[in-house]
Structures are given as structure tokens and as C-alpha cells.
Amino acid sequence: MAEEGSKRDSIKMNMKGCQTNNGFVQNEDIPELDLDPGSSEHILGPEEPNAKNIQPYAGMPKEVLFQFSGQARYRVPREILFWLVVVSVLVLIGATIAIIAISPKCLDWWQAGPMYQIYPRSFKDSDKDGNGDLKGIQDKLDYITTLNIKTIWITSFYKSSLRDFRYGVEDFREIDPIFGTMEDFENLLAAIHDKGLKLIIDFIPNHTSDKHAWFQLSRTRTGKYTDYYIWHDCAHENGITTPPNNWLSVYGNSSWHFDEVRNQCYFHQFLKEQPDLNFRNPDVQEEIKEIMQFWLTKGVDGFSFNAVKFLLEAMHLRNEIQVNASQIPDTVTRYSELYHDFTTTQEGMHDLVRSFRQTMDKYSREPGRYRFLGTEAYAESIDRTMRYYGLSFIQEADFPFNNYFTTLDTLSGNTVYEVITAWMENMPEGKWPNWMTGGPDITRLTSRLGNQYVNIMNMLLFTLPGTPITYYGEEIGMGNILATNLNESYDVNTLLSKSPMQWDNSSNAGFSEGNHTWLPTSSDYHTVNVDVQKTQPTSALKLYQALSLLHANELLLSRGWFCLLRNDSRVLVYTRELDGIDRVFIVVLNFGESTLLNLQEMISGLPVRLSIKLSTNSASTGSQVDTRGIFLERGEGVLLEHKMKNLLHRQTAFRDRCFISSRACYSSALDILYSSC
């Protein structure tokens, strides 16, 4: 018994002298021993260490932790780290704001790469009926991506009674059956977007077909449709109409046609089957905007507005002035024989374009979904063309389509430079240029100028500032077909540049597996086709792909300055350069007879030898040339690369010969663009 009592006393003494290891306490809610404060017994006992000598340990209670956290050696580093984090965040915010403030506006999708214009009836036939269609375009999207295209532009595919299917729309909300169905269009649009491409489509607001429901209601004076078109009283006796004035159609003869149902004349700027809408009627304006919204809701990325200069006519109906005042008035039947001061570009026309822009802006608010607006400005003077850009505070078109190269019947360094400077000098500040050499109603470049200019004109388009626009087939050098055996009754001259796309050397050039095509294929399709050229290193297609790839990857081409070095009857020489990049591209194009050119006379300090980045003669690409004497054949062009720190646009001698579309500078240290140059 005495032995057991001794053990109990020993345990009791040990309990008095021990410390609790809180690292093993599982729950702080476990009740602790409640000792009487007055008790003479102490938990730590006589061997309790001084609190100042206790070192931090894992699992220490918060009372002990607070004792240490207040000490200077722990508090000061903690406060330093806190303020470092605060300062770092503020610096990052400030740097972000500064970068945003000095950064130039990013190029939008319609600026970042070339556009590819497709005439759908002639691109690819998918159902063997001899007519190209929307499914055919979808089948060839992979080919289009190999061209480094950013935007596909499809011309009119609306339901139409006209065989040409470009104008005279019967229903703006329907696909003409020859091209497919609305489901086909939706599938094509989805496929285009899946490829990372954008789609713009033609829109013709000026007129409709005479088969359109609006016109049929208007000629019977039904409700609001009574004044949807331009009607006027006119004399009509014995089958002969006396029009209200001498206004002429674009295709010749009077622009007034008598309608026996309404017993009045209606106005048509084009064919009599294409009556002009009355845009002074607010209901007409709303109808057009609703049609735009229909296609924007479908997901199209923009429109090319055709014939906008014809939207309004003078209300006074006075005769237009004859070009030749002495000509007998009754013999004036051709459109070119009048000054069209009362039927084109009337006051209020630009207000209509601005209203179209405002409608599209409602669909441009989603990031990355900006909607493009382009306007046709064919046969306009340069000052009138520039007005389509709008004002500095009121936007209209993103750009009017620049077709001035298509008006050139001969090429020289002088004529090409005149087209370039006319646009760049007159373009409003901050706007974006574009360049094209062909289109559906224009003689193809090969037939107009010669096949020796195919490569050099493509090099020109891709090395100028702005957006290059390619009409289908120009990348392989297609030409017009001959005007024989055409089954269409439409104006033959508008068909020659619309021949089927030449895909390979099989039957119908690979365009269709049917027994016939709506237009004959060109006789040269056995050698001028995609399949042949994609395997030939020296082909026009290979050069086009190299140029488009270079354009996509080089800031010098997409954002840089254009500076003229020389232009004469043969050559055009210019540079592309950008602040912050110590190299330049020198572009040398020869449009005339063979020539020997001394570049050292144009640029001081130029090395004797420079490397050729690209050449229209593929054998020369990658080689070097003697800058004291570069020999170029007719239609030959080279793109040279040169290290240069004193850029030409900074030099007084070249200041008046340098242009830029969207000013930017490059920081190699930060790898960013900034605007405060």
C-alpha cells in the first residue's frame, strides 16, 4: 500500500512540473484545468523559463504568436513587404495606363490583310449546273486561306430576275436559287468565321428590280408604297414617250420609262428594269436599314455599298447641261454627253451614308465584331471620292474603294505614282487607303495591260500602305475571255471579266463537272490555273503567296512610311520604313523598257551590295545586287532590304515625298508600338 501511495505522489509532482505542448492539442475547446488563482500551486513550477527566452515554435498559440509579431525584427520586414506590394501594384497600373495612352490604335481586321473579291457565279460550281454557288465557295475556303486573305468579299447573290445577278434585286432577304439557299449562306458564313476570316457582301440600295414587290405595289398606288419610287407625269402618245427632262441612263437613252399601269414615268439611272428608289421618302430609308439589320443579325461583317452617288436626284428636274453645247439636244443619248450635276452626289446623299454607318455601329459594340462599310466611288473625282471617308468627327465609309489603278490603260512610273500621290495627299488624316487592280465590271489586268505586269502589280499592291484588294483569278494572272458564243443577253462587255475560275487543266478548268458552264472558260486554262501554279516556284501564285505572307508579318509594310525616291517614264522607286526599326525595304518597279538603275544616286551611304528579299523573277530572290547598277526588264520588280538608321521621312529632302496612314513607332526593348514618336 505504501508503494502505491508513493507512485501517486510521484505522478502528482510530475504534473506540477510539466508544460503543455500545444502542438499536440487537437481542439482548443478542450477544457483546461481551472486552478484557483489564489492557489499556491503553479502550473510551470519553480523551473518555469522566462517568456523572453522562449523561441517561436510550430503550433504556438495566438497569445504567444502576438508576443513575437510585435517585435521590430518581425514587424519591420512585414511592413516593408506590404508597401512594396502596394507600390508595385501602383506602378503596374500606371505603366498600363501609360502604354494604353501612348499606343496607337490596333489595326482592325479590314486593315490587317488583303480582301479577296469573289463573283459567286464564276468561282466554283458544286451542283454541276454550270453556275458557281455558295457551296462552291465553301469548298474552296482552304485555298483562300493559303493566300493569307483576311476578308472575303462576295458580290451580289440576292434573288434577281436579271441574268447578270449583280443589280435588279427582287428580294433583298432571299438568296437567288442559282446560288443556293439561305441555309447554304449560313453554313458558308459559319465556315468563313471558323477559318478566322471575315465576310463582306455587296449591297445595292439605289434601286430594285421592276419585279420587286415594292414596285408592283407602287405602280398601283398602294398605301405607303405609292412614293417608294420616283414617279412623274409625262406625255405618252402612239407609243412615244416625252420624258420630263433630258436626264440619261448610264446605259444610254432617257432615264425615264412610261408605266402603263400607273400612267406615269418612273426614273431609272440604269436599266428600265431597275427603277430607282425614292430616298427622300423616310419609309424607304427605314426599309433599307431593316434589310441591313437582317444581314447584320445573320453575322455578316460588313457591306460594300454600290452606286451610292446615285441615291438622290435634284427635285427641280431641270435639264442637265450638255458637254457639247452646240450638239442638237435630240441627238444627246449617251451618258457621257451630259454633265450629271442633278443626278449624282446631291446634297443629303452623304447624310444617308452616315445613317447607314450609324445603323452598322449598333452591331459593332461587341469586341472584335466591328462592321465594315465600304462605298463604290467609280468615275468620281478624287475630291468627291475622299468625302466618303466622312469628317473628322462624323464617320461614313471605312474607305471608298480605290479603283484608280483600273483606269490606267498604260503603265509608267509616272502614272502609277500619280495615282498613289493623288490618294495619299488627299486622304483625310488618320484614314486608311486601299488599292485594287480589277473587278467584275473592269477589263482584267492581263487583258488590259499585258501578262508581263501581273507580278509587278501584285508586288505594288502588297508594298503600298493600306489594304490590297484582289479580284478572284488575279493571283494566277487570269485574263478576259473572248466575246464569242456568249449565251447571256446582258451587256457582253460586263461579262468578259467574269469567266469561270481556272482551278486545274481538267474539263471546264475544274470549275464545274457539268456538261456546260454559264460562260466559257478561257482558252489558256491548261497552263494558267491554280493546280499548275501551286507546284511551280516561278509562278504568279507562288509570288502572290510570298507577298501576302510578307505583308502579314512585316510592320514595315502594314504600318510603315511610304517615301518616294524616284519616278519617271519607266521606274518607280520607294521605301517602306518605320521609326524604331533600323532597316528599310526599298521597292524598285520597272514598268517601261529594260533599264539600268543606280540606287546610290538616290540614297547616300547605300552599300554597294544589297540582298533581294523578293523579286518578280523568283531566281533572283535571296541573291544580291550591285546598287550602282540594277538591271531590270520590263515588268520586273525587286524588294531590297537595307540597314538604315537615318530614315528618309526624317530627312528634309524627302519630307514632302513621304506619307503614312496610321503613324506608329516601334520599341525593340519593349516589343511594342507607340504613337508618341
Side-chain angles (χ1 to χ4, degrees), residues 58-257:
M60 71 182 80
K62 60 184 178 181
E63 293 83 0
V64 178
L65 179 64
F66 286 153
Q67 291 182 29
F68 293 107
S69 65
Q71 295 177 14
R73 61 176 173 170
Y74 298 111
R75 186 186 71 253
V76 173
R78 187 170 66 248
E79 291 179 353
I80 291 174
L81 287 174
F82 171 78
W83 288 111
L84 281 175
V85 171
V86 171
V87 171
S88 299
V89 170
L90 292 175
V91 169
L92 286 173
I93 293 173
T96 302
I97 294 173
I99 290 174
I100 293 173
I102 66 172
S103 294
K105 184 178 181 296
C106 294
L107 295 183
D108 220 323
W109 55 265
W110 50 274
Q111 300 169 307
M115 293 183 175
Y116 191 73
Q117 186 182 21
I118 295 174
Y119 190 75
R121 197 179 180 190
S122 297
F123 196 63
K124 185 68 172 74
D125 172 23
S126 69
D127 57 7
K128 304 180 183 180
D129 68 350
N131 296 285
D133 46 49
L134 299 179
K135 283 185 177 179
I137 296 174
Q138 185 172 345
D139 291 342
K140 291 298 183 179
L141 288 181
D142 286 339
Y143 165 72
I144 293 174
T145 59
T146 67
L147 303 178
N148 303 298
I149 298 296
K150 297 296 183 184
T151 305
I152 296 175
W153 169 11
I154 303 180
T155 61
S156 179
F157 50 71
Y158 308 103
K159 185 178 180 182
S160 170
S161 58
L162 292 180
R163 297 180 180 228
D164 186 56
F165 295 100
R166 183 155 172 78
Y167 296 108
V169 176
E170 283 187 28
D171 192 332
F172 286 102
R173 291 181 173 88
E174 284 193 30
I175 307 294
D176 194 284
I178 203 169
F179 298 126
T181 65
M182 185 61 74
E183 183 180 2
D184 293 337
F185 174 80
E186 292 168 350
N187 291 338
L188 171 61
L189 180 59
I192 287 172
H193 287 163
D194 287 345
K195 297 283 186 183
L197 307 176
K198 300 292 185 179
L199 174 67
I200 64 174
I201 61 177
D202 267 7
F203 191 51
I204 309 105
N206 179 69
H207 49 265
T208 70
S209 166
D210 59 354
K211 302 293 192 301
H212 197 290
W214 297 344
F215 186 77
Q216 296 303 315
L217 292 169
S218 185
R219 67 200 303 233
T220 57
R221 302 177 190 266
T222 303
K224 68 175 185 177
Y225 299 101
T226 300
D227 295 322
Y228 263 40
Y229 297 83
I230 301 167
W231 297 94
H232 203 276
D233 292 333
C234 59
H236 184 75
E237 295 180 2
N238 301 320
I240 300 175
T241 301
T242 303
N245 55 31
N246 72 342
W247 294 356
L248 297 176
S249 159
V250 169
Y251 295 110
N253 297 314
S254 177
S255 57
W256 296 96
H257 185 73

Side-chain angles (χ1 to χ4, degrees), residues 445-511:
L445 186 147
T446 300
S447 300
R448 189 173 75 250
L449 301 170
N451 58 14
Q452 70 267 38
Y453 291 112
V454 171
N455 288 338
I456 195 173
M457 290 304 288
N458 281 332
M459 179 171 281
L460 174 68
L461 292 193
F462 278 100
T463 55
L464 288 177
T467 300
I469 302 173
T470 297
Y471 181 51
Y472 82 95
E474 288 180 344
E475 72 274 19
I476 60 173
M478 279 178 58
N480 278 18
I481 55 173
L482 299 177
T484 57
N485 300 321
L486 300 183
N487 297 322
E488 298 291 317
S489 60
Y490 202 76
D491 183 0
V492 169
N493 293 325
T494 67
L495 297 176
L496 305 181
S497 59
K498 299 183 175 84
S499 60
M501 178 66 177
Q502 296 163 200
W503 295 106
D504 54 43
N505 57 13
S506 65
S507 176
N508 299 325
F511 163 73

Side-chain angles (χ1 to χ4, degrees), residues 316-480:
H316 53 64
L317 299 184
R318 291 200 296 267
N319 283 344
E320 291 189 314
I321 300 173
Q322 296 179 192
V323 173
N324 180 2
S326 62
Q327 186 175 354
I328 299 173
D330 289 343
T331 66
V332 176
T333 59
R334 293 189 301 175
Y335 190 73
S336 60
E337 293 173 343
L338 290 178
Y339 293 111
H340 302 284
D341 297 327
F342 302 146
T343 54
T344 61
T345 320
Q346 296 299 291
E347 183 178 355
M349 181 271 289
H350 284 281
D351 293 332
L352 291 173
V353 179
R354 291 177 197 128
S355 71
F356 298 155
R357 173 76 267 170
Q358 291 166 4
T359 298
M360 297 181 70
D361 284 344
K362 296 176 183 177
Y363 291 81
S364 298
R365 293 168 183 166
E366 183 182 346
R369 290 308 308 275
Y370 180 82
R371 307 305 175 97
F372 169 85
L373 191 160
T375 56
E376 179 194 56
Y378 186 74
E380 291 271 37
S381 62
I382 191 66
D383 60 322
R384 284 191 172 186
T385 299
M386 292 299 124
R387 293 176 194 171
Y388 289 104
Y389 277 114
L391 305 173
S392 57
F393 53 91
I394 301 178
Q395 186 180 5
E396 290 185 35
D398 291 298
F399 53 64
F401 291 106
N402 178 359
N403 64 348
Y404 288 95
F405 280 138
T406 68
T407 65
L408 299 179
D409 293 325
T410 58
L411 292 178
S412 72
N414 290 330
T415 57
V416 171
Y417 180 69
E418 286 169 3
V419 171
I420 297 170
T421 53
W423 194 277
M424 298 302 292
E425 288 177 349
N426 289 280
M427 185 178 67
E429 185 177 357
K431 299 301 182 180
W432 191 256
N434 68 100
W435 316 93
M436 57 199 303
T437 59
D441 299 322
I442 302 164
T443 302
R444 284 189 178 273
L445 186 147
T446 300
S447 300
R448 189 173 75 250
L449 301 170
N451 58 14
Q452 70 267 38
Y453 291 112
V454 171
N455 288 338
I456 195 173
M457 290 304 288
N458 281 332
M459 179 171 281
L460 174 68
L461 292 193
F462 278 100
T463 55
L464 288 177
T467 300
I469 302 173
T470 297
Y471 181 51
Y472 82 95
E474 288 180 344
E475 72 274 19
I476 60 173
M478 279 178 58
N480 278 18

